[in-house]
Short mmCIF file of all heavy atoms in Angstrom, two decimals:
data_model
loop_
_atom_site.label_atom_id
_atom_site.label_comp_id
_atom_site.label_asym_id
_atom_site.label_seq_id
_atom_site.Cartn_x
_atom_site.Cartn_y
_atom_site.Cartn_z
N GLN Y 4 14.58 -9.74 9.53
CA GLN Y 4 15.83 -9.22 8.98
C GLN Y 4 17.01 -9.53 9.90
O GLN Y 4 16.87 -9.69 11.11
CB GLN Y 4 15.72 -7.72 8.76
CG GLN Y 4 14.73 -7.33 7.67
CD GLN Y 4 15.08 -7.94 6.34
OE1 GLN Y 4 16.11 -7.61 5.73
NE2 GLN Y 4 14.24 -8.84 5.85
N GLY Y 5 18.21 -9.62 9.27
CA GLY Y 5 19.45 -9.83 9.99
C GLY Y 5 20.43 -8.73 9.70
O GLY Y 5 20.05 -7.56 9.59
N ASP Y 6 21.70 -9.06 9.52
CA ASP Y 6 22.72 -8.03 9.32
C ASP Y 6 22.89 -7.66 7.85
O ASP Y 6 23.63 -6.73 7.53
CB ASP Y 6 24.07 -8.45 9.93
CG ASP Y 6 24.60 -9.73 9.33
OD1 ASP Y 6 23.88 -10.38 8.56
OD2 ASP Y 6 25.76 -10.07 9.62
N VAL Y 7 22.22 -8.38 6.96
CA VAL Y 7 22.16 -7.98 5.55
C VAL Y 7 20.71 -8.13 5.10
O VAL Y 7 19.94 -8.87 5.72
CB VAL Y 7 23.08 -8.83 4.65
CG1 VAL Y 7 24.53 -8.55 4.93
CG2 VAL Y 7 22.77 -10.31 4.79
N PRO Y 8 20.30 -7.45 4.04
CA PRO Y 8 18.92 -7.58 3.60
C PRO Y 8 18.58 -9.03 3.26
O PRO Y 8 19.31 -9.72 2.55
CB PRO Y 8 18.88 -6.70 2.35
CG PRO Y 8 19.97 -5.70 2.55
CD PRO Y 8 21.04 -6.44 3.27
N PHE Y 9 17.46 -9.50 3.76
CA PHE Y 9 16.91 -10.81 3.43
C PHE Y 9 15.45 -10.58 3.08
O PHE Y 9 14.84 -9.63 3.53
CB PHE Y 9 17.06 -11.77 4.60
CG PHE Y 9 16.57 -13.17 4.30
CD1 PHE Y 9 17.22 -13.96 3.37
CD2 PHE Y 9 15.45 -13.69 4.94
CE1 PHE Y 9 16.79 -15.23 3.08
CE2 PHE Y 9 15.01 -14.97 4.67
CZ PHE Y 9 15.67 -15.73 3.74
N GLY Y 10 14.91 -11.51 2.29
CA GLY Y 10 13.59 -11.25 1.74
C GLY Y 10 13.72 -10.34 0.54
O GLY Y 10 13.15 -9.26 0.46
N THR Y 11 14.54 -10.81 -0.42
CA THR Y 11 14.80 -10.05 -1.64
C THR Y 11 14.57 -10.93 -2.85
O THR Y 11 14.61 -12.16 -2.77
CB THR Y 11 16.26 -9.55 -1.68
OG1 THR Y 11 17.14 -10.69 -1.72
CG2 THR Y 11 16.59 -8.71 -0.46
N CYS Y 12 14.35 -10.31 -3.98
CA CYS Y 12 14.26 -11.05 -5.24
C CYS Y 12 15.66 -11.33 -5.76
O CYS Y 12 16.56 -10.49 -5.66
CB CYS Y 12 13.47 -10.27 -6.28
SG CYS Y 12 11.73 -10.03 -5.83
N THR Y 13 15.85 -12.54 -6.28
CA THR Y 13 17.17 -12.98 -6.72
C THR Y 13 17.24 -13.33 -8.20
O THR Y 13 18.33 -13.48 -8.73
CB THR Y 13 17.59 -14.21 -5.91
OG1 THR Y 13 16.57 -15.22 -6.02
CG2 THR Y 13 17.79 -13.87 -4.44
N ALA Y 14 16.09 -13.49 -8.86
CA ALA Y 14 16.10 -13.91 -10.25
C ALA Y 14 14.84 -13.40 -10.94
O ALA Y 14 13.77 -13.33 -10.32
CB ALA Y 14 16.16 -15.44 -10.36
N ILE Y 15 14.97 -13.05 -12.21
CA ILE Y 15 13.82 -12.59 -12.99
C ILE Y 15 14.00 -13.04 -14.43
O ILE Y 15 15.13 -13.08 -14.94
CB ILE Y 15 13.65 -11.06 -12.89
CG1 ILE Y 15 12.37 -10.62 -13.61
CG2 ILE Y 15 14.86 -10.32 -13.44
CD1 ILE Y 15 12.00 -9.16 -13.32
N SER Y 16 12.90 -13.40 -15.07
CA SER Y 16 12.95 -13.81 -16.48
C SER Y 16 11.63 -13.46 -17.14
O SER Y 16 10.56 -13.55 -16.51
CB SER Y 16 13.20 -15.32 -16.59
OG SER Y 16 13.33 -15.73 -17.94
N GLU Y 17 11.71 -13.02 -18.38
CA GLU Y 17 10.51 -12.79 -19.20
C GLU Y 17 10.56 -13.70 -20.41
O GLU Y 17 11.61 -13.84 -21.05
CB GLU Y 17 10.42 -11.33 -19.65
CG GLU Y 17 9.15 -11.04 -20.45
CD GLU Y 17 9.04 -9.61 -20.94
OE1 GLU Y 17 10.11 -8.96 -21.15
OE2 GLU Y 17 7.92 -9.12 -21.14
N SER Y 18 9.45 -14.30 -20.73
CA SER Y 18 9.40 -15.19 -21.88
C SER Y 18 9.72 -14.42 -23.16
O SER Y 18 9.09 -13.40 -23.44
CB SER Y 18 8.02 -15.83 -22.01
OG SER Y 18 7.89 -16.50 -23.25
N PRO Y 19 10.68 -14.90 -23.95
CA PRO Y 19 10.95 -14.25 -25.24
C PRO Y 19 9.81 -14.45 -26.24
O PRO Y 19 9.78 -13.79 -27.28
CB PRO Y 19 12.23 -14.94 -25.73
CG PRO Y 19 12.80 -15.62 -24.54
CD PRO Y 19 11.64 -15.98 -23.67
N LEU Y 20 8.87 -15.35 -25.91
CA LEU Y 20 7.79 -15.70 -26.83
C LEU Y 20 6.47 -15.02 -26.48
O LEU Y 20 5.55 -15.02 -27.30
CB LEU Y 20 7.58 -17.22 -26.84
CG LEU Y 20 8.82 -18.04 -27.19
CD1 LEU Y 20 8.50 -19.53 -27.09
CD2 LEU Y 20 9.33 -17.70 -28.58
N GLN Y 21 6.38 -14.43 -25.29
CA GLN Y 21 5.13 -13.78 -24.89
C GLN Y 21 5.45 -12.58 -24.01
O GLN Y 21 5.96 -12.73 -22.90
CB GLN Y 21 4.22 -14.75 -24.14
CG GLN Y 21 2.91 -14.12 -23.68
CD GLN Y 21 2.02 -15.09 -22.95
OE1 GLN Y 21 2.01 -16.29 -23.23
NE2 GLN Y 21 1.25 -14.59 -21.99
N PHE Y 22 5.13 -11.41 -24.49
CA PHE Y 22 5.38 -10.19 -23.72
C PHE Y 22 4.56 -10.23 -22.43
O PHE Y 22 3.38 -10.58 -22.42
CB PHE Y 22 5.00 -8.96 -24.53
CG PHE Y 22 5.10 -7.68 -23.75
CD1 PHE Y 22 6.33 -7.17 -23.40
CD2 PHE Y 22 3.95 -6.99 -23.37
CE1 PHE Y 22 6.43 -6.00 -22.67
CE2 PHE Y 22 4.04 -5.81 -22.65
CZ PHE Y 22 5.29 -5.31 -22.30
N GLY Y 23 5.21 -9.89 -21.32
CA GLY Y 23 4.51 -9.80 -20.05
C GLY Y 23 4.38 -11.09 -19.29
O GLY Y 23 3.81 -11.10 -18.19
N LEU Y 24 4.89 -12.21 -19.84
CA LEU Y 24 4.92 -13.47 -19.11
C LEU Y 24 6.20 -13.46 -18.28
O LEU Y 24 7.30 -13.70 -18.80
CB LEU Y 24 4.88 -14.66 -20.05
CG LEU Y 24 5.03 -16.05 -19.42
CD1 LEU Y 24 4.05 -16.26 -18.27
CD2 LEU Y 24 4.91 -17.14 -20.46
N LEU Y 25 6.06 -13.16 -16.99
CA LEU Y 25 7.19 -12.89 -16.12
C LEU Y 25 7.29 -13.96 -15.03
O LEU Y 25 6.27 -14.45 -14.52
CB LEU Y 25 7.04 -11.52 -15.45
CG LEU Y 25 6.97 -10.30 -16.37
CD1 LEU Y 25 6.57 -9.07 -15.57
CD2 LEU Y 25 8.32 -10.07 -17.05
N TYR Y 26 8.53 -14.25 -14.66
CA TYR Y 26 8.81 -15.13 -13.52
C TYR Y 26 9.82 -14.41 -12.62
O TYR Y 26 10.79 -13.81 -13.10
CB TYR Y 26 9.42 -16.45 -13.98
CG TYR Y 26 8.51 -17.29 -14.84
CD1 TYR Y 26 8.55 -17.17 -16.23
CD2 TYR Y 26 7.62 -18.20 -14.28
CE1 TYR Y 26 7.72 -17.93 -17.02
CE2 TYR Y 26 6.78 -18.97 -15.07
CZ TYR Y 26 6.84 -18.84 -16.44
OH TYR Y 26 6.02 -19.60 -17.23
N VAL Y 27 9.60 -14.50 -11.31
CA VAL Y 27 10.49 -13.89 -10.34
C VAL Y 27 10.73 -14.89 -9.21
O VAL Y 27 9.80 -15.56 -8.76
CB VAL Y 27 9.89 -12.59 -9.77
CG1 VAL Y 27 10.76 -12.04 -8.65
CG2 VAL Y 27 9.73 -11.55 -10.86
N GLY Y 28 12.01 -15.00 -8.76
CA GLY Y 28 12.36 -15.86 -7.65
C GLY Y 28 12.94 -15.06 -6.51
O GLY Y 28 13.47 -13.95 -6.71
N THR Y 29 12.88 -15.61 -5.29
CA THR Y 29 13.34 -14.91 -4.11
C THR Y 29 14.37 -15.72 -3.34
O THR Y 29 14.58 -16.90 -3.61
CB THR Y 29 12.16 -14.60 -3.17
OG1 THR Y 29 11.72 -15.81 -2.55
CG2 THR Y 29 11.00 -13.96 -3.92
N ASP Y 30 14.98 -15.09 -2.36
CA ASP Y 30 16.00 -15.77 -1.56
C ASP Y 30 15.40 -16.66 -0.47
O ASP Y 30 16.14 -17.33 0.25
CB ASP Y 30 16.97 -14.76 -0.94
CG ASP Y 30 16.28 -13.70 -0.09
OD1 ASP Y 30 15.08 -13.88 0.25
OD2 ASP Y 30 16.91 -12.68 0.23
N ASN Y 31 14.08 -16.68 -0.34
CA ASN Y 31 13.45 -17.60 0.61
C ASN Y 31 12.56 -18.63 -0.08
O ASN Y 31 11.61 -19.14 0.49
CB ASN Y 31 12.68 -16.84 1.69
CG ASN Y 31 11.63 -15.90 1.13
OD1 ASN Y 31 11.52 -15.72 -0.07
ND2 ASN Y 31 10.84 -15.31 2.02
N GLY Y 32 12.90 -18.91 -1.35
CA GLY Y 32 12.33 -20.07 -2.02
C GLY Y 32 11.04 -19.88 -2.77
O GLY Y 32 10.44 -20.86 -3.22
N ARG Y 33 10.62 -18.65 -2.98
CA ARG Y 33 9.37 -18.43 -3.69
C ARG Y 33 9.62 -18.16 -5.17
O ARG Y 33 10.57 -17.47 -5.54
CB ARG Y 33 8.60 -17.27 -3.06
CG ARG Y 33 8.14 -17.53 -1.63
CD ARG Y 33 7.22 -16.44 -1.15
NE ARG Y 33 6.68 -16.76 0.18
CZ ARG Y 33 5.70 -16.08 0.75
NH1 ARG Y 33 5.15 -15.04 0.14
NH2 ARG Y 33 5.27 -16.42 1.95
N VAL Y 34 8.73 -18.70 -5.99
CA VAL Y 34 8.72 -18.41 -7.42
C VAL Y 34 7.33 -17.89 -7.77
O VAL Y 34 6.32 -18.53 -7.43
CB VAL Y 34 9.06 -19.65 -8.26
CG1 VAL Y 34 8.93 -19.33 -9.75
CG2 VAL Y 34 10.47 -20.14 -7.96
N TRP Y 35 7.31 -16.76 -8.44
CA TRP Y 35 6.05 -16.11 -8.82
C TRP Y 35 5.97 -16.00 -10.34
O TRP Y 35 6.98 -15.82 -11.01
CB TRP Y 35 5.96 -14.72 -8.21
CG TRP Y 35 5.92 -14.68 -6.72
CD1 TRP Y 35 6.98 -14.76 -5.86
CD2 TRP Y 35 4.76 -14.58 -5.90
NE1 TRP Y 35 6.56 -14.70 -4.55
CE2 TRP Y 35 5.18 -14.59 -4.54
CE3 TRP Y 35 3.39 -14.47 -6.16
CZ2 TRP Y 35 4.31 -14.48 -3.47
CZ3 TRP Y 35 2.52 -14.37 -5.09
CH2 TRP Y 35 2.96 -14.39 -3.77
N ARG Y 36 4.73 -16.06 -10.84
CA ARG Y 36 4.48 -15.90 -12.28
C ARG Y 36 3.39 -14.85 -12.49
O ARG Y 36 2.41 -14.81 -11.76
CB ARG Y 36 4.01 -17.22 -12.89
CG ARG Y 36 3.85 -17.17 -14.41
CD ARG Y 36 3.09 -18.39 -14.93
NE ARG Y 36 1.66 -18.28 -14.74
CZ ARG Y 36 0.87 -19.25 -14.26
NH1 ARG Y 36 1.40 -20.42 -13.88
NH2 ARG Y 36 -0.43 -19.06 -14.11
N SER Y 37 3.62 -14.02 -13.49
CA SER Y 37 2.58 -13.10 -13.95
C SER Y 37 2.37 -13.34 -15.43
O SER Y 37 3.33 -13.39 -16.21
CB SER Y 37 2.98 -11.64 -13.71
OG SER Y 37 1.99 -10.77 -14.23
N ASP Y 38 1.12 -13.51 -15.83
CA ASP Y 38 0.78 -13.71 -17.25
C ASP Y 38 0.43 -12.40 -17.94
O ASP Y 38 0.23 -12.39 -19.16
CB ASP Y 38 -0.40 -14.68 -17.38
CG ASP Y 38 -0.08 -16.05 -16.81
OD1 ASP Y 38 0.87 -16.68 -17.30
OD2 ASP Y 38 -0.78 -16.49 -15.87
N ASP Y 39 0.32 -11.32 -17.16
CA ASP Y 39 -0.22 -10.08 -17.72
C ASP Y 39 0.64 -8.88 -17.38
O ASP Y 39 0.15 -7.80 -17.10
CB ASP Y 39 -1.66 -9.87 -17.22
CG ASP Y 39 -1.79 -10.02 -15.70
OD1 ASP Y 39 -0.75 -9.93 -15.02
OD2 ASP Y 39 -2.91 -10.24 -15.22
N GLY Y 40 1.94 -9.07 -17.39
CA GLY Y 40 2.85 -7.95 -17.21
C GLY Y 40 2.86 -7.36 -15.82
O GLY Y 40 3.21 -6.18 -15.65
N GLY Y 41 2.50 -8.15 -14.82
CA GLY Y 41 2.58 -7.68 -13.45
C GLY Y 41 1.27 -7.21 -12.86
O GLY Y 41 1.25 -6.76 -11.70
N VAL Y 42 0.17 -7.31 -13.60
CA VAL Y 42 -1.13 -6.93 -13.03
C VAL Y 42 -1.52 -7.92 -11.94
O VAL Y 42 -1.98 -7.55 -10.86
CB VAL Y 42 -2.21 -6.87 -14.13
CG1 VAL Y 42 -3.57 -6.56 -13.52
CG2 VAL Y 42 -1.83 -5.82 -15.18
N ASN Y 43 -1.31 -9.21 -12.20
CA ASN Y 43 -1.62 -10.26 -11.24
C ASN Y 43 -0.41 -11.18 -11.12
O ASN Y 43 0.29 -11.44 -12.10
CB ASN Y 43 -2.84 -11.07 -11.69
CG ASN Y 43 -4.10 -10.24 -11.78
OD1 ASN Y 43 -4.69 -9.88 -10.77
ND2 ASN Y 43 -4.49 -9.90 -13.02
N TRP Y 44 -0.18 -11.69 -9.89
CA TRP Y 44 0.93 -12.60 -9.63
C TRP Y 44 0.41 -13.87 -8.96
O TRP Y 44 -0.47 -13.81 -8.11
CB TRP Y 44 1.98 -11.94 -8.73
CG TRP Y 44 2.71 -10.82 -9.40
CD1 TRP Y 44 2.35 -9.51 -9.42
CD2 TRP Y 44 3.91 -10.93 -10.17
NE1 TRP Y 44 3.27 -8.78 -10.16
CE2 TRP Y 44 4.24 -9.62 -10.63
CE3 TRP Y 44 4.75 -11.98 -10.51
CZ2 TRP Y 44 5.35 -9.35 -11.39
CZ3 TRP Y 44 5.87 -11.72 -11.27
CH2 TRP Y 44 6.17 -10.42 -11.72
N ARG Y 45 1.01 -15.01 -9.33
CA ARG Y 45 0.61 -16.30 -8.78
C ARG Y 45 1.85 -17.00 -8.23
O ARG Y 45 2.88 -17.11 -8.93
CB ARG Y 45 -0.04 -17.15 -9.86
CG ARG Y 45 -0.45 -18.56 -9.42
CD ARG Y 45 -1.17 -19.28 -10.56
NE ARG Y 45 -1.46 -20.67 -10.24
CZ ARG Y 45 -2.49 -21.08 -9.53
NH1 ARG Y 45 -3.35 -20.18 -9.06
NH2 ARG Y 45 -2.70 -22.36 -9.30
N ASP Y 46 1.78 -17.47 -7.00
CA ASP Y 46 2.87 -18.22 -6.39
C ASP Y 46 2.86 -19.63 -6.96
O ASP Y 46 1.91 -20.39 -6.77
CB ASP Y 46 2.68 -18.26 -4.87
CG ASP Y 46 3.87 -18.86 -4.13
OD1 ASP Y 46 4.67 -19.57 -4.77
OD2 ASP Y 46 3.99 -18.63 -2.92
#
């Protein structure tokens, strides 16, 4: 950490075609996907 929070989520999207298909991005370059509404996440 520095003088402001780092290591935060910056973007989120849910597929309009499939409930629970989620994508999340972070400020340090990670993109995660969940196919089951957040039960499991894959980088």
Side-chain angles (χ1 to χ4, degrees):
Q4 293 301 294
D6 60 352
V7 291
F9 183 66
T11 64
C12 295
T13 54
I15 185 169
S16 183
E17 183 181 28
S18 170
L20 304 176
Q21 179 180 329
F22 174 71
L24 175 52
L25 299 170
Y26 297 92
V27 174
T29 72
D30 56 15
N31 57 354
R33 295 189 175 191
V34 176
W35 297 82
R36 185 193 78 226
S37 177
D38 299 300
D39 49 19
V42 177
N43 298 286
W44 292 89
R45 178 177 174 82
D46 188 341

